[in-house]
Amino acid sequence: MLLTVAIIGGPHGLKGEVRLDLRTDDPQRRLAEGSVLETEPADAGPLTVVRARRSAEATYVIFDEARDRTAAESLRGVRLVVESDEDEDDDDEGWYPHQLVGLRAVHVDGRELGTVADLEHLPAQDVLVITEPDGAEARVPFVAELVPAVDPDAGTVTLDPPRGLFAADPADDDESVADDAEDAGGRP
């Protein structure tokens, strides 16, 4: 299984440096000087890291195979990929999309909510994309409070989402509004 280390962005300067959209939690190892990375599409690589640097806002790399701005521009959108290590699949510090896609999403009360379609890596946090049975998509922040359990062996992700996050569980359905009004001593 191939894992995406980064997606190459636009060139930075004139000497072939490119900005990376990182998808790895170990950039020092993956982008070490001399590292050779396969690419998707395959005909864009392999690429050899000459130098990598991190600034406050981004990670930049120069590849031996792209030493000028024109060559760097031709790499825009290329994915840097590596073969999955077996020990990475057992790492509890994070999840890769291939480990989660296809798992059944189950509510803590046992209801089926749908199927995991993707894991999006956003700047603030990762988000699970769940395809609901009716085809709608829900996005659930991948935090312990909302995703208390992930069990790949059982094929499930257990969720405790707030009402309204899923189309099948609206926040303001008529029944709950009527119940709330009656509980408060008012009329429905």
Side-chain angles (χ1 to χ4, degrees):
M1 169 74 52
L2 292 177
L3 301 177
T4 300
V5 172
I7 300 171
I8 300 175
H12 183 76
L14 300 174
K15 297 186 179 182
E17 190 172 55
V18 292
R19 182 179 181 142
L20 296 182
D21 178 7
L22 291 179
R23 301 298 170 95
T24 180
D25 56 356
D26 193 4
Q28 290 80 16
R29 179 171 69 104
R30 297 291 189 195
L31 301 173
E33 185 177 323
S35 294
V36 178
L37 298 160
E38 296 299 321
T39 61
E40 284 184 356
D43 62 354
L47 298 173
T48 306
V49 176
V50 171
R51 182 175 65 111
R53 69 179 178 91
R54 181 137 176 93
S55 73
E57 64 276 345
T59 297
Y60 299 94
V61 173
I62 295 176
F63 296 108
D64 192 37
E65 297 79 5
R67 294 292 192 121
D68 62 38
R69 186 173 181 89
T70 303
E73 180 63 44
S74 72
L75 295 175
R76 186 186 296 255
V78 170
R79 290 180 177 269
L80 302 173
V81 296
V82 295
E83 191 66 36
S84 171
D85 297 332
E86 292 216 10
D87 60 340
E88 289 181 50
D89 286 343
D90 296 333
D91 184 5
D92 287 337
E93 293 184 20
W95 296 94
Y96 291 102
H98 76 272
Q99 295 171 297
L100 301 170
V101 171
L103 297 180
R104 291 182 304 113
V106 181
H107 194 280
V108 291
D109 67 10
R111 288 181 286 142
E112 292 283 333
L113 296 172
T115 305
V116 177
D118 198 5
L119 173 65
E120 294 179 345
H121 301 285
L122 302 180
Q125 65 199 16
D126 290 347
V127 174
L128 285 175
V129 178
I130 309 294
T131 302
E132 297 181 59
D134 67 357
E137 277 191 351
R139 285 178 165 66
V140 180
F142 199 4
V143 296
E145 295 80 23
L146 302 179
V147 186
V150 176
D151 188 350
D153 294 332
T156 60
V157 173
T158 302
L159 306 176
D160 191 9
R163 296 213 46 199
L165 197 58
F166 285 83
D169 191 21
D172 58 352
D173 63 8
D174 293 335
E175 186 176 307
S176 69
V177 171
D179 289 344
D180 291 343
E182 287 179 26
D183 291 342
R187 293 196 293 212

